[in-house]
Amino acid sequence: MLKILIIMIVGIILGRITRDRIHLSIKTVTFIIVWTLLLLLGYEAGGNDAVMHSIPTLGARAIIISSASIAGSILFSCLLWHSIKNRGGER
Amino acid sequence: MKSSIFLLIPFLIGIIIGNSHILPDSIKDIELSSYALAFLMFFVGMGIGRDTSIFSKFMSLDRRMLLLPLCTICGSLCGSYLASLFMIHTPIHNAMAVASGMGYYSLSSIIITQYINPEWGTIALLSNIIRETAALLLAPAMYKLFGPLPIISVGGATTMDTTFPIIINIAGEKYSIVSIYHGFVTDLSVPFLVSFFCLI
């Protein structure tokens, strides 16, 4: 965690110094990294035999619990987002 | 929706490569993802440093967003509580312990294997991998349907690391601070919540 924050702060300082000289697209960089991370996540899940073999037996319960907790998180965060939007705190 | 489907491609390729075991296992020890993340954080830092108006953008964020981790935790627990009422062979506290992982699959599955049993540990592993994968794959569609906060909320404990890039790619760099804060608080709460629901 600390390492990641230090790397980010170094980036901020370098970005400040080089801001008129280097042009880069954060959108492109993040997109490439999202692809890399998804590839690695798939690789780890696919290569883990315990995960792959238990999908038919335990998969249904796992899907229901994760879907329900995702739905709950969406509901609560939507309520917060709407209360912020409606009271003019955000655009 | 189209971009969500587009994101399935690298994930499926990864599963196929992993499942076929064509690459040596030693690759897993290199922790490529942590290098990718370090690289990304550096570039996000560069982006923040270059943007002279980013600090006023941070300041324009509503203070109520500090409540987002609470929404994530309450939503996950309420959702799993309701789901467990309709499921067989599923004690309420076990389902809530699994949901408390909030995407942090390594830690939650280890704690649950120790305190409950290996079967529930595997369910925690699967369930939290599904949550992390859904946070990544569904982010573009969820942003269109619900706005920026739900994509952070669904990311759970991972919004400081693995789901961070997709969040700032879709919601914008302005939300990087909310995402890091949310990941930090939720991440810290995982060991306490999971152990609590295992022990009651």
Side-chain angles (χ1 to χ4, degrees), chain A residues 2-62:
Chain A
L2 191 68
K3 221 190 279 172
I4 291 272
L5 281 180
I6 291 170
I7 291 169
M8 195 170 170
I9 292 165
V10 171
I12 294 176
I13 296 166
L14 273 178
R16 259 283 133 99
I17 298 167
T18 61
R19 73 170 168 256
D20 301 319
R21 274 169 279 170
I22 298 173
H23 295 279
L24 51 93
S25 162
I26 296 292
K27 268 222 162 314
T28 320
V29 176
T30 51
F31 185 77
I32 295 167
I33 290 170
V34 167
W35 263 65
T36 314
L37 288 172
L38 274 165
L39 192 77
L40 290 170
L41 182 68
Y43 177 72
E44 271 178 33
N48 189 332
D49 292 332
V51 169
M52 296 311 274
H53 292 156
S54 59
I55 287 175
T57 49
L58 306 174
R61 270 186 280 176

Side-chain angles (χ1 to χ4, degrees), chain B residues 125-137:
Chain B
L125 180 69
L126 280 177
S127 172
N128 286 297
I129 288 178
I130 293 169
R131 179 159 185 162
E132 185 180 341
T133 313
L136 287 162
L137 297 179

Side-chain angles (χ1 to χ4, degrees), chain B residues 4 11 34 37 40 58 61 73 80 85 89-90 93 102 109 113 116 120 134 146 148 153 155 168-169 175 178:
Chain B
S4 283
F11 183 64
S34 56
L37 275 170
L40 172 81
F58 285 157
L61 288 170
I73 295 168
S80 58
L85 298 178
H89 309 305
T90 307
H93 61 276
M102 288 177 291
S109 60
T113 302
I116 304 177
W120 276 95
F146 308 115
S153 190
I168 54 164
N169 188 270
Y175 285 93
V178 185

